[in-house]
Amino acid sequence: MTDEMVRAENVHKSFGSLEVLKGIDLVVRPGEVCCVLGPSGSGKSTFLRCINHLEKINAGRIFVDGDLIGYRERGGKLHELKEKEVAAQRRAIGMVFQRFNLFPHMTVLQNVMEAPCRVKRENKNEVRDRAAALLDRVGLADKIDGYPSQLSGGQQQRVAIARALAMRPKLMLFDEPTSALDPELVGEVLDVMKDLARDGMTMVVVTHEIGFAREVGDSLIFMDGGVVVEQGPPREVIGNPQQERTQAFLSKVL
């Protein structure tokens, strides 16, 4: 393990003529929770998707635990890895989206077991035990034989977190994991994330939950217009923002 779990260097990303990321630099240490704030369209989710190469970057480099993600460097040039190699890198990176994307025809337990059994070809009995333990951990031990359609949004999102953890990732990415939930269900998902943070899971969390960022985050970056406008310890950035753009954003959401 390196002393940096994530390192982004001058990351650029465009969709056609629209430049979405304009040179993002970021370092996240092992065991750190990095929260990413910013208005819609600031590039937060795109940047998160670049970390596990769901989006290909146009310039710069992203490393996870010392490995260059998505590319091999030869003679100063980047060559994209084959899909199989990218998939192998992705196995170490868990991702939880706004939408839960659970398989509707599978039970809760089967949803959590699917990737370790199919992708990693792990022993089914061992995976079943681990999946059951993870569902217990996220407070859903009584739902393992249920189907996604029988669960609330908050419960489905907790299954999605258990599913990501079942692959035993070294890094977890959360893309606004509570934004699709009814307000009263947000807390149960944040509680699971707080528990993960206490256990030392390295996390990059794109969120609008200012309280979570302040309480749980070790570092915070505020993005707007495809750049990092301000970064620092969450309590400092939220409590005493230095940049006008950060001040304007926080004044609307606090």
Side-chain angles (χ1 to χ4, degrees), residues 122-181:
E122 290 185 48
N123 178 288
K124 205 164 187 177
N125 291 330
E126 285 173 22
V127 173
R128 182 181 285 109
D129 291 345
R130 186 160 85 240
L134 284 168
L135 287 164
D136 185 36
R137 180 178 179 180
V138 300
L140 293 170
D142 57 334
K143 303 287 186 192
I144 62 174
D145 295 322
Y147 287 86
S149 61
Q150 298 166 318
L151 305 181
S152 71
Q155 289 170 330
Q156 289 189 58
Q157 191 62 294
R158 284 186 281 153
V159 174
I161 293 172
R163 179 180 60 183
L165 292 173
M167 291 291 278
R168 293 194 268 219
K170 50 186 153 187
L171 170 67
M172 285 284 281
L173 307 176
F174 290 89
D175 186 10
E176 298 191 26
T178 57
S179 67
L181 301 179

Side-chain angles (χ1 to χ4, degrees), residues 61-87:
R61 285 163 179 57
I62 296 176
F63 299 86
V64 171
D65 203 15
D67 288 333
L68 179 62
I69 295 296
Y71 300 92
R72 189 175 287 112
E73 192 161 354
R74 265 195 242 112
K77 281 209 170 76
L78 292 183
H79 302 269
E80 190 167 8
L81 295 177
K82 294 189 174 74
E83 188 51 47
K84 199 173 173 183
E85 297 168 294
V86 174

Side-chain angles (χ1 to χ4, degrees), residues 10-75:
N10 195 27
V11 171
H12 288 256
K13 171 66 184 172
S14 297
F15 294 102
S17 61
L18 179 67
E19 195 177 13
V20 179
L21 300 177
K22 303 171 183 173
I24 302 289
D25 295 300
L26 175 72
V27 171
V28 182
R29 312 254 171 226
E32 193 172 282
V33 177
C34 172
C35 293
V36 185
L37 298 182
S40 295
S42 57
K44 311 181 299 291
S45 294
T46 298
F47 175 60
L48 204 67
R49 291 168 66 84
C50 289
I51 294 176
N52 66 356
H53 205 63
L54 283 175
E55 296 290 357
K56 300 173 186 184
I57 60 178
N58 298 109
R61 285 163 179 57
I62 296 176
F63 299 86
V64 171
D65 203 15
D67 288 333
L68 179 62
I69 295 296
Y71 300 92
R72 189 175 287 112
E73 192 161 354
R74 265 195 242 112

Side-chain angles (χ1 to χ4, degrees), residues 197-230:
R198 277 192 292 271
D199 277 0
M201 173 61 79
T202 313
M203 306 182 348
V204 182
V205 184
V206 171
T207 184
H208 290 297
E209 302 294 335
I210 306 290
F212 175 86
R214 188 194 285 121
E215 182 188 339
V216 184
D218 298 297
S219 61
L220 185 149
I221 68 171
F222 173 71
M223 285 178 66
D224 189 31
V227 299
V228 175
V229 176
E230 188 162 349

